[in-house]
Every structure is written in C-alpha cells, then in structure tokens.
Amino acid sequence: QKEVEQNSGPLSVPEGAIASLNCTYSDRVSQSFFWYRQYSGKSPELIMSIYSNGDKEDGRFTAQLNKASQYVSLLIRDSQPSDSATYLCAVSSGSARQLTFGSGTQLTVLP
Amino acid sequence: DGGITQSPKYLFRKEGQNVTLSCEQNLNHDAMYWYRQDPGQGLRLIYYSQIVNDFQKGDIAEGYSVSREKKESFPLTVTSAQKNPTAFYLCASSIGGGVLAKNIQYFGAGTRLSVL
C-alpha cells in the first residue's frame, strides 16, 4: 500500500513569515511530486510540481525533493492571509502514473 | 474556456437509489480520474481511465461504476451498494501519455453528495 504522510496540522504562522510544509512517501519508485492548494469547500489547484532532486522555485513558493530520504517539502515565503488553505502533497507512481494524496496540512496565516 | 465541468454541484441520494455524477472536459486530455474526499481527509482514487472504452479500479471502487464512451466524458455512478456515499467527489484529467508523462492532473469544481 503506497502511503503519503504529511506533517500534522493545523499550522499557524504570522503574516510575512515562512511556512514550511513537509511530506514523506513510501513508494521508492515514485516519479513525480505535486503540491496542491485547497481552499475550504473548493477543489484542489496545482501550485507546484517537482520531478528531480533539489529545489524548484516559483515566486514565493519553493519545492524541495530528496528522493534518497523519500521526502518532499514546500516553503512559502512572505506568507499572506490569502495563503490560508489546506495543502495537499501528491505523489505519482505506477504505470498509469496515478496520484496518491496525503491527508493535507491546514495552514493559517495570521494578519 | 477550457476546463473540467462537473455537475451537479450538489446532489442528494435516497436510500436504495443509484445516482450519476457528470464530468466533462474540453482539454483534449486522454486520462480522467474520479476521487472521493471525506472531511479532513485527502483524496482517494475511485476509478481512472487512460483511453476511451477502458478504465481501471482505484483504491475504493466498491459501490461505484464508470463508463468512458467518449474522450470528453467520464460519468461516475454511485450505486445503492455504496453504503456511505456522503462525500465530496472530484473529477480530474491529465494529458496522459504513459510512463514518460509528467501526468499533471487538473480538477473540476466537485460534486457534494449527501444521503437523504
């Protein structure tokens, strides 16, 4: 059974701080890694994808992947109240590249 | 506008009734997926389809059925055998392309199903 574990929340950070979200996965042959943001009552929207070891930056977001440790993280710099949402880590593996999702980390950015 | 359209937004099921959730995409994607999300939980895969007229069971297929007669459409039927159907149902699609593809999945707005 493939598993994706996220750090338990909820997580609260003050506005302007760095929010750090973590995710570990069990399937060593996983190929692709995604972070989705989900606002309450809405569907997930993709914010970051990462496929190789190292860091990938996009604006205020940085995804970090370490395949040896089976670990992927998301850093949000200069956090804003609008970043308050649940962040879902998803890992792709298998011949059909199906996604396995973590249970999510709820982030609250305090003004 | 390109995207994934799910309907209805809200759906109510009576005891013993089958209900069908619609998912249509105009992104020309080959692969489509159905997920279920329970409160405070992540998404669990129900069924997926990589090409027309072919689909596979996901992790929680019992009590559900699907069809894929057209590339654009992937309806999900929640049958009376699904004893706890209350959840948020999400349809997704991706370009597909097999093991070399990056398989970025995009989601529709979802359907909330409740039992009367």
Side-chain angles (χ1 to χ4, degrees):
Chain A
Q1 180 77 8
K2 300 167 191 171
E3 293 185 350
V4 177
E5 300 283 343
Q6 295 187 238
N7 51 330
S8 59
L11 175 66
S12 293
V13 300
E15 184 174 355
I18 296 175
S20 177
L21 305 166
N22 303 314
C23 175
T24 59
Y25 58 95
S26 63
D27 188 356
R28 188 166 286 278
V29 299
S30 298
Q31 300 119 336
S32 306
F33 308 85
F34 306 92
W35 284 98
Y36 286 85
R37 178 176 63 198
Q38 186 176 27
Y39 291 114
S40 181
K42 303 296 185 182
S43 62
E45 57 177 320
L46 180 71
I47 54 171
M48 288 290 284
S49 60
I50 187 166
Y51 308 102
S52 55
N53 282 329
D55 294 359
K56 179 181 178 182
E57 187 175 317
D58 184 0
R60 295 186 297 110
F61 299 98
T62 299
Q64 299 173 318
L65 175 61
N66 183 327
K67 289 187 177 181
S69 300
Q70 295 175 237
Y71 174 90
V72 58
S73 66
L74 179 71
L75 299 177
I76 307 175
R77 291 183 302 281
D78 189 23
S79 295
Q80 301 297 308
S82 58
D83 295 325
S84 298
T86 296
Y87 289 80
L88 297 167
C89 173
V91 176
S92 173
S93 58
S95 59
R97 314 281 286 188
Q98 57 267 41
L99 294 182
T100 301
F101 284 82
S103 59
T105 299
Q106 185 178 348
L107 172 67
T108 300
V109 180
L110 304 169
Chain B
D1 263 340
I4 302 167
T5 301
Q6 290 189 242
S7 63
K9 189 172 182 179
Y10 299 96
L11 186 58
F12 298 92
R13 193 190 89 168
K14 296 179 181 178
E15 193 79 31
Q17 185 183 41
N18 293 352
V19 293
T20 297
L21 286 60
S22 171
C23 179
E24 304 275 334
Q25 53 97 2
N26 60 6
L27 300 169
N28 199 32
H29 283 173
D30 286 318
M32 297 186 74
Y33 309 82
W34 274 106
Y35 294 91
R36 168 181 173 141
Q37 187 176 34
D38 293 285
Q41 301 296 313
L43 280 64
R44 292 184 291 167
L45 183 63
I46 304 172
Y47 269 99
Y48 63 99
S49 168
Q50 293 180 275
I51 56 171
V52 175
N53 293 321
D54 188 43
F55 48 82
Q56 286 78 40
K57 293 181 179 180
D59 298 322
I60 56 164
E62 186 174 349
Y64 301 97
S65 66
V66 293
S67 62
R68 186 85 186 275
E69 297 176 1
K70 298 187 298 182
K71 185 175 183 177
E72 305 79 29
S73 179
F74 191 40
L76 173 74
T77 296
V78 184
T79 74
S80 57
Q82 173 50 246
K83 297 306 179 187
N84 184 23
T86 297
F88 188 37
Y89 290 87
L90 289 156
C91 178
S93 71
S94 72
I95 198 166
V99 295
L100 297 180
K102 292 183 165 63
N103 195 34
I104 295 175
Q105 294 187 19
Y106 300 94
F107 286 85
T111 293
R112 291 198 180 277
L113 175 62
S114 301
V115 176
L116 289 176

